[in-house]
Amino acid sequence: MRKLIFISIITALAAIQTGYSQQASYMSIQYAVGIGLGDLGDYISAPSFRGANIEYRNAVTNNLMVGAEIGWNVFYERMDYNTYTVGTESLTGVQYRTQNELPILLSADYILTPDNPFRPYVGLGIGTLYSERSTDMGMWRRMENPWHFAIKPEVGFLYELSYSTSFKFAAKYYSGFASSPLETQSYLSLSVGLAFTL
């Protein structure tokens, strides 16, 4: 399954680049803060200040850009000394919770004002989300690490700083559908960074 997803993304990127090689494109690097929602928010209430995104976009028309992105956020929380029950097992102690989220998505953005230095946009991504959840208590560790089918609506803007560099802000909602053994994993990501014209 992982090989199939990886091959699909590489093939799609190659097709995008081949078909639109004469159009403008950019690559962006962003710092991302994540806020867990739903099951992820219940498991770890603390926000993630350890995150990053790398994106590539290529212009199809003046308003439409397509490409791909890969991201990473680490959620972490230390729970108080207590008795914790999972299934039929109960343990007492201090619990440490960590969850890594790795989205890999194909994305399309519609730019509302493409000819202005300030370019707000709306976007949608589709792909996969890898979740790695670990719960540690003393020498005991519980791990779950499923892949989810994922979607990502997004809003944001680019602001041109120079001919080849823009400031980028994005608000993204990642939703990875339920995949055994985890329920739907979702989080809000707020990211800032720079986009470089290629």
Side-chain angles (χ1 to χ4, degrees):
M1 181 65 177
R2 295 179 194 175
K3 285 184 179 180
L4 180 60
I5 292 168
F6 180 74
I7 291 169
S8 299
I9 290 171
I10 296 300
T11 304
L13 285 175
I16 291 166
Q17 184 61 35
T18 303
Y20 306 110
S21 59
Q22 303 303 314
Q23 303 288 344
S25 61
Y26 73 83
M27 180 167 284
S28 69
I29 301 172
Q30 302 157 48
Y31 167 72
V33 174
I35 301 166
L37 303 170
D39 181 66
L40 174 55
D42 292 340
Y43 177 67
I44 298 177
S45 61
S48 164
F49 293 101
R50 293 181 286 174
N53 289 322
I54 298 175
E55 299 177 349
Y56 170 80
R57 295 289 188 274
N58 199 51
V60 177
T61 67
N62 204 27
N63 293 91
L64 181 63
M65 301 197 81
V66 297
E69 75 169 83
I70 185 169
W72 177 58
N73 270 92
V74 181
F75 295 84
Y76 170 81
E77 189 168 16
R78 179 188 183 275
M79 307 301 289
D80 293 334
Y81 183 91
N82 207 337
T83 299
Y84 298 93
T85 301
V86 177
T88 60
E89 301 172 342
S90 294
L91 288 176
T92 300
V94 175
Q95 193 174 93
Y96 299 90
R97 298 178 176 183
T98 305
Q99 186 154 329
N100 288 271
E101 294 294 331
L102 178 71
I104 304 171
L105 304 166
L106 297 176
S107 300
D109 298 335
Y110 184 81
I111 300 174
L112 304 176
T113 56
D115 299 322
N116 292 342
F118 178 74
R119 300 189 297 277
Y121 69 90
V122 294
L124 182 65
I126 187 169
T128 187
L129 178 68
Y130 174 72
S131 299
E132 184 181 86
R133 175 179 290 188
S134 63
T135 308
D136 293 288
M137 291 183 70
M139 297 179 63
W140 179 82
R141 167 173 277 193
R142 181 183 177 93
M143 289 280 297
E144 291 108 357
N145 54 353
W147 289 83
H148 309 265
F149 172 75
I151 60 170
K152 177 219 60 176
E154 173 180 354
V155 295
F157 67 84
L158 291 156
Y159 182 76
E160 191 174 294
L161 302 174
S162 69
Y163 175 76
S164 61
T165 307
S166 296
F167 172 80
K168 182 169 184 177
F169 169 81
K172 309 174 184 183
Y173 172 72
Y174 293 97
S175 181
F177 293 87
S179 178
S180 181
L182 294 181
E183 298 177 17
T184 296
Q185 300 299 296
S186 57
Y187 65 100
L188 176 66
S189 172
L190 303 175
S191 61
V192 293
L194 295 175
F196 304 98
T197 302
L198 302 176

